[in-house]
Amino acid sequence: MDSSEHGSPVISPGVAIGGTLPPGLTEEEAEEIQVELTKVDDEIQTLRQVLMAKERHAAELKRRLGISPLSEIKQNITKGWHDVQCSNAYMRTSQTLGDLNRRVTSSNLYLTASATLEDIGRSDAYKRTQETLSQAGQMTSAAFSTVGSAIRNRFGEMRNSPSFKTFEDKVENMKYKVMGRSNGESDHSPTSNNAPF
């Protein structure tokens, strides 16, 4: 297979890219290196094609399992946050903040302010304000919950509709054709080649 098919330059024997051989390199060594470079370039191209095929297959499997990109992002964020919480830096910071909190809460100024806040918390004005804000929060929460459910249901209906599936298939086929052609692959649709990779 000629290396020019995969985008790597073909260098004639005895000539480097600059036009002459580097010092200390014979023509035979240059030819051996060129052959090895061609093989490596071919292997890289093959690996790229295999990787693209595996990515398409993984995307299809995820789609069939109902795993959306949003749920993947959520899972990645959850894992990332867990990793942060388990890190030494986070644990040291948490311990330092805990020590600082203990010092502050045991100081006279804090205890005096705390007593004043308790007095405020017992007042009728505070209780009425707290009640009003609680009711407003409950109403807002219920409204957001209703809107969220409606949007989620609508997206579910839309995603499962035949027209969306047709559109999704067309986009996937177009992507495959564009990506396949740019890498020297034949013009087969992804649905015609369902072999697992």
Side-chain angles (χ1 to χ4, degrees):
M1 184 176 278
D2 189 0
S3 64
S4 64
E5 292 176 17
H6 300 292
S8 60
V10 176
I11 300 174
S12 61
V15 179
I17 293 177
T20 60
L21 288 174
L25 192 64
T26 66
E27 248 184 71
E28 292 80 28
E29 291 172 332
E31 287 177 21
E32 287 176 18
I33 292 171
Q34 182 59 42
V35 168
E36 185 177 348
L37 176 61
T38 301
K39 286 180 183 178
V40 170
D41 284 342
D42 289 344
E43 290 172 3
I44 290 171
Q45 183 62 28
T46 301
L47 290 171
R48 282 187 181 135
Q49 290 172 351
V50 169
L51 178 61
M52 280 183 16
K54 286 187 178 281
E55 286 174 342
R56 280 193 302 271
H57 186 65
E60 174 63 20
L61 292 174
K62 286 177 185 177
R63 186 187 69 76
R64 289 173 58 192
L65 286 172
I67 299 172
S68 69
L70 185 61
S71 64
E72 282 187 271
I73 290 170
K74 182 180 175 184
Q75 189 176 29
N76 289 342
I77 289 173
T78 302
K79 184 186 180 312
W81 179 241
H82 179 264
D83 292 346
V84 166
Q85 287 178 319
C86 293
S87 70
N88 288 335
Y90 180 87
M91 294 172 116
R92 283 192 307 264
T93 303
S94 180
Q95 183 179 5
T96 302
L97 290 174
D99 293 344
L100 182 61
N101 183 42
R102 281 188 288 283
R103 287 185 199 151
V104 168
T105 55
S106 63
S107 71
N108 286 336
L109 178 62
Y110 176 83
L111 295 173
T112 304
S114 179
T116 304
L117 288 174
E118 284 178 16
D119 291 343
I120 291 172
R122 290 188 201 111
S123 71
D124 288 336
Y126 177 80
K127 288 178 182 176
R128 284 192 305 269
T129 303
Q130 185 182 25
E131 237 176 67
T132 304
L133 291 175
S134 176
Q135 289 172 353
Q138 289 171 356
M139 294 168 130
T140 304
S141 176
F144 279 132
S145 177
T146 302
V147 168
S149 293
I151 290 172
R152 184 174 41 253
N153 290 340
R154 184 65 183 134
F155 276 135
E157 291 170 6
M158 190 171 73
R159 176 126 169 96
N160 293 325
S161 70
S163 58
F164 185 83
K165 294 287 186 194
T166 302
F167 174 74
E168 187 177 39
D169 288 343
K170 285 180 181 178
V171 169
E172 184 67 27
N173 286 337
M174 186 185 316
K175 175 188 166 201
Y176 179 78
K177 287 178 182 179
V178 169
M179 298 299 285
R181 284 188 189 140
S182 68
N183 292 315
E185 293 180 358
S186 63
D187 190 22
H188 296 116
S189 71
T191 55
S192 67
N193 185 8
N194 289 329
F197 294 97

